[in-house]
Amino acid sequence: MSRMEEQDQVDRPLELATFAGGCFWCMVTPFEQLPGIVRVVSGYTGGHTENPTYQEVCAETTGHAEAVQITFDPELFPYEKLLQLFWRQIDPTDADGQFHDRGSSYRPAIFYHNEEQRKLAEASRNDLELSKRFNRPIVTEIVPAGPFYPAEEYHQGYHHKNPLRYKMYRKGSGRDAFIATHWNTDKDKEERKKKLTPLQYEVTQNNATERPFQNEFWDHHEEGIYVDIVSGEPLFSSRNKFDSGCGWPSFTQPLVNGHIVEKQDLSHLMVRTEVRSLEADSHLGHVFTDGPAPDGLRYCINSAALRFVPKSEMEQAGYGAYLPALE
């Protein structure tokens, strides 16, 4: 667990967000480890039956959709960012189910809890439509939130309880293949190519590795945070940076675990664990188990994948919520 996640919950108002995006098992993992997310509950909503069971919902007799209800701190993770992440998990052009799961209980929807959420949700849907990312109309409904019924206990945190079955189901559902096809596309890469230096582009988009001891942050000691060069999502803190002697910036842990995705890397006749950013899917580097105690982890990261935000500029740059991680 990162230092950011360990800090005490600040006593300020929390909000609810409710999304349907097909199988609720798959809609928990994108949100649960992000800063400001207090809890994610799988359940049923949008129908007419009180306290429905999983079997009843799957039988399409209740009008309910499988959904997740998120309790979040809007100061740490605004509703707009939840919407951005939601759209990247679903097929917004399919109102009759999601991927290989068919039926109204798998329909995508945003259930808004107040007028501000409605306006933001409709604006985000309009932006997605105008982006022309999809060649069919956006049909995801935006409707008022009603009663939410938590699903049976065995559905809660299903990916933790049954990780192998979850991974097999998720891959077989077609969800990940759809996301890979419609996000981080060649068009996205072309746009990034205009904004990044050649080295930044090769590292983040083509999995290149920069030279050791000849990069921007390997010997950098200023207080602040390191964010994704593409998306700006917070990744690492200077508090967790250490000199590993490898010639690249090294960290003992991420600033927020949920912003880092680990993947098996079999390239160069080696078995390694690659780390990528969640939002931009940027190649960052690798994580090894030869780091310092207590966890023994060494996140070996390319400087070209990072942008540094000094502590003195974090508030103005919109990263004020992460200042406690430097204390």
Side-chain angles (χ1 to χ4, degrees):
M1 180 176 290
S2 71
R3 180 178 176 82
M4 187 71 196
E5 294 166 315
E6 288 176 337
Q7 64 184 1
D8 292 337
Q9 173 72 40
V10 177
D11 185 19
R12 52 180 175 247
L14 301 175
E15 294 186 15
L16 292 176
T18 305
F19 301 129
C23 174
F24 46 26
W25 297 345
C26 299
M27 291 297 291
V28 174
T29 50
F31 298 100
E32 67 172 352
Q33 293 188 17
L34 297 174
I37 304 301
V38 177
R39 70 181 63 88
V40 183
V41 178
S42 297
Y44 316 110
T45 194
H48 50 77
T49 301
E50 293 185 3
N51 301 308
T53 65
Y54 180 68
Q55 288 74 18
E56 290 171 338
V57 173
C58 289
E60 305 289 348
T61 61
T62 68
H64 287 296
E66 291 192 14
V68 291
Q69 189 161 90
I70 303 165
T71 304
F72 69 102
D73 181 340
E75 187 169 327
L76 283 177
F77 208 89
Y79 188 68
E80 297 93 320
K81 292 191 68 174
L82 287 174
L83 289 168
Q84 291 171 12
L85 190 53
F86 165 74
W87 291 119
R88 294 175 68 103
Q89 311 309 313
I90 69 168
D91 178 356
T93 70
D94 188 352
D96 299 320
Q98 288 291 281
F99 316 110
H100 293 179
D101 293 318
R102 312 312 302 159
S104 65
S105 63
Y106 293 109
R107 69 188 183 273
I110 297 172
F111 299 92
Y112 61 84
H113 289 265
N114 53 54
E115 185 63 11
E116 180 65 15
Q117 285 191 0
R118 182 190 67 79
K119 291 178 180 178
L120 292 171
E122 291 182 350
S124 70
R125 183 177 61 185
N126 292 341
D127 288 344
L128 186 61
E129 186 81 68
L130 292 171
S131 74
K132 304 298 182 183
R133 184 175 293 275
F134 300 94
N135 56 16
R136 296 193 300 171
I138 306 300
V139 296
T140 300
E141 61 182 8
I142 298 174
V143 294
F148 180 88
Y149 302 98
E152 294 82 348
E153 180 57 32
Y154 69 88
H155 288 301
Q156 307 301 335
Y158 185 87
H159 57 293
H160 294 304
K161 299 171 182 174
N162 301 278
L164 292 179
R165 185 178 177 189
Y166 168 74
K167 289 179 181 179
M168 291 177 62
Y169 167 80
R170 185 178 178 107
K171 184 176 181 180
S173 73
R175 183 183 296 265
D176 287 340
F178 180 90
I179 293 172
T181 299
H182 290 85
W183 297 93
N184 201 27
T185 63
D186 290 342
K187 181 180 178 181
D188 295 322
K189 288 190 174 185
E190 284 302 313
E191 288 298 315
R192 291 169 181 177
K193 200 168 190 176
K194 299 174 184 177
K195 300 176 182 179
L196 302 175
T197 68
L199 179 59
Q200 290 168 345
Y201 182 84
E202 286 302 313
V203 167
T204 60
Q205 307 303 304
N206 293 328
N207 300 353
T209 301
E210 63 195 2
R211 292 178 179 274
F213 303 104
Q214 298 179 39
N215 56 80
E216 186 175 5
F217 299 125
W218 79 271
D219 195 29
H220 184 247
H221 302 289
E222 188 177 357
E223 274 196 300
I225 61 172
Y226 298 83
V227 305
D228 186 297
I229 192 68
V230 176
S231 64
E233 56 192 306
L235 299 175
F236 298 98
S237 162
S238 60
R239 186 178 182 88
N240 301 120
K241 191 173 185 291
F242 72 102
D243 182 6
S244 67
C246 70
W248 292 281
S250 296
F251 304 88
T252 57
Q253 63 182 23
L255 179 60
V256 180
N257 285 334
H259 285 174
I260 298 292
V261 177
E262 297 185 3
K263 295 186 176 182
Q264 188 180 58
D265 179 6
L266 302 178
S267 63
H268 306 293
L269 301 178
M270 293 185 287
V271 179
R272 296 178 295 173
T273 301
E274 179 194 13
V275 289
R276 305 184 70 88
S277 62
L278 174 68
E279 184 177 332
D281 193 33
S282 300
H283 170 73
L284 305 174
H286 294 83
V287 60
F288 301 97
T289 56
D290 56 3
D295 298 323
L297 298 178
R298 172 172 62 93
Y299 288 84
C300 184
I301 307 299
N302 289 280
S303 290
L306 304 174
R307 175 170 63 87
F308 180 72
V309 182
K311 182 179 181 180
S312 60
E313 300 175 13
M314 285 172 57
E315 189 75 49
Q316 184 178 358
Y319 297 103
Y322 297 92
L323 283 168
L326 300 176
E327 295 176 357

